[in-house]
Amino acid sequence: ARESTRVHVHARRNATHRNTHTHAHNAHTMADDEAPYASDSGSDYSDDDAHIGGDEEVVMGDMNGEASLNVDVGSSLTSADWADIDNSDLVAKVRGSAGFRIMREIQPWDGALASPPDLLKKHVFEYFYCQRKDSDFYKALAKECFPSEYEHAGVDKDTKKRLSNLWAGAVIDELKARRDDAKHTLRWLNAIKEAQAADLLFLKREALAHGEGSVQAIAGKLVWDNVSNRIKDQTFAAMHLCTNKSGAQSGGVARMYKHQHELIEQLDKHYGAIARAKEASKPLPKPLHVILSTPTGSGKTFTAILVHLRLLKVKYPDAILLYSVPTKQVLKRVGQECEAHAVPYWTAARDHSGDGSLHQVRRPYSIRDKARNKKALRAARAIGEKVSAG
């Protein structure tokens, strides 16, 4: 099963959501007929705008006893499951991850990245050609990436003589002398030479950026075919760990993917239109539906929290981000991410202690419990976050 990020949710009476656990981030509204939950935790968080809290079990119904909102959110959570969500060791592990650092530092999409720098092909061919006698791999690179240049070097005596006097170190030294102009080509040639997991991911990104038939695509395939299965397995593992992005692994500035940037822009435009329509007492715009379909481990949870931290929290604090997940394990992971980033959230789960008709909607321990609340506040200050009463 694949978790799905629902970036815009319409609350409807009699709506049924089956077989999911749900996180609601930054929830600041409640139904008129719900009484605020009174907390005795003495925390600095306000309960005036809270959803149902504590360990209360709630049956949602109207005055006639008929359910006005049917929420079926999957299997119940045990006390051990709840404890895992805000386990201090696991949350600390999240805060020590590359993804956490990137979330703090990530910059908007740079349009210039849509036109990636090209290689200095003359030097690349020379680097491949001068090593052809020592390595069949480099001979194949020179012959398949530069077929016309390779053929010309075989028939033109002057060209063959010039290339015969070159060696790989001299080509690299010449590129280094060109400084920034050759930085990208040096990075690419080093990836060809080292051919480790991170290098193969870099080569694949280059191949995708320049398209089929390009030098980058042909060389990337040859390198992939030449490495061992162990390196390939490590590459797949690194791909699914998926930190980021165009700059993070090479020491540059981490930037949003283009689709992340566009998603935030679209949501901002949509919520802005809603606000203007309400202010002018005009009909609301039609619902906005966005499908973010990417493989497991490629950053949907990252994107959801990014939307909260960079948009909803800053400009639309009354908006609710509803996150539905298929399994307890994914729920725990999302909860730990929220804990790490000091994101207030609520978790819904079906209660099986009775006849299965009751449900729990709970806030995490770090907000409900006084001692843990102080710990959460210290953690928020440690990462430079201004703690909201919500």
Side-chain angles (χ1 to χ4, degrees), residues 137 140-145 217-227:
F137 170 62
L141 283 170
K143 191 172 184 179
E144 295 190 31
C145 291
I218 296 170
K221 184 177 185 305
L222 288 172
V223 173
W224 179 262
D225 292 340
N226 191 61
V227 299

Side-chain angles (χ1 to χ4, degrees), residues 168-240:
V171 177
I172 295 298
D173 289 342
E174 185 178 345
L175 286 169
K176 289 179 178 178
R178 299 184 63 154
R179 297 184 181 274
D180 290 346
D181 183 42
K183 185 181 293 185
H184 182 74
T185 300
L186 284 168
R187 169 74 177 90
W188 190 82
L189 288 176
N190 187 66
I192 294 285
K193 177 184 176 183
E194 298 297 331
Q196 297 302 305
D199 301 309
L200 294 179
L201 289 178
F202 171 77
L203 294 174
K204 185 61 176 177
R205 285 196 296 268
E206 287 293 298
L208 290 171
H210 290 274
E212 187 177 358
S214 64
V215 170
Q216 291 86 342
I218 296 170
K221 184 177 185 305
L222 288 172
V223 173
W224 179 262
D225 292 340
N226 191 61
V227 299
S228 66
N229 288 333
R230 179 179 61 84
I231 296 296
K232 290 178 180 178
D233 289 341
Q234 291 176 356
T235 304
F236 284 126
M239 180 178 68
H240 288 289

